[in-house]
Amino acid sequence: RFIPMLGDEVFRLGVHANFAIADGEYWRLFTSMFLHADFLHLLMNMFWLFLFGPELELLMGKLRFITIFLGAGLVGNLASFFL
């Protein structure tokens, strides 16, 4: 018998699923920004954020950096939903 792992349940509940978003689960547009397909995906995101994040934060300031970071994720998920 298959017993789902906690990570599987978190992924299932937060994944970007167009049918669920169309049914009104708009929170999925936000939560899916924080899920990663596998360890390499997470590692690469962390690497690029480590490489470019500090300089961008210094240039823009903390609040603007966070706003752009979250806004880019939301816009990307909206584009994925509509395309």
Side-chain angles (χ1 to χ4, degrees):
R1 177 175 126 130
F2 175 73
I3 300 173
M5 302 298 291
L6 178 60
D8 293 337
E9 188 66 12
V10 169
F11 184 77
R12 184 185 69 77
L13 290 173
V15 71
H16 175 102
N18 284 346
F19 66 90
I21 295 168
D23 285 341
E25 295 183 12
Y26 302 115
W27 52 269
R28 290 177 181 271
L29 293 169
F30 183 76
T31 57
S32 63
M33 288 189 290
F34 302 101
L35 298 174
H36 296 84
D38 55 21
F39 183 70
L40 183 60
H41 182 198
L42 175 64
L43 190 65
M44 292 306 295
N45 283 2
M46 289 171 56
F47 172 73
W48 292 111
L49 194 56
F50 174 77
L51 196 64
F52 294 113
E55 188 66 29
L56 287 171
E57 186 179 355
L58 283 175
L59 289 171
M60 298 179 192
K62 224 178 258 294
L63 184 60
R64 188 175 292 159
F65 177 76
I66 291 171
T67 302
I68 291 171
F69 185 80
L70 295 175
L74 186 60
V75 168
N77 281 333
L78 283 169
S80 172
F81 174 73
F82 287 114
L83 295 175

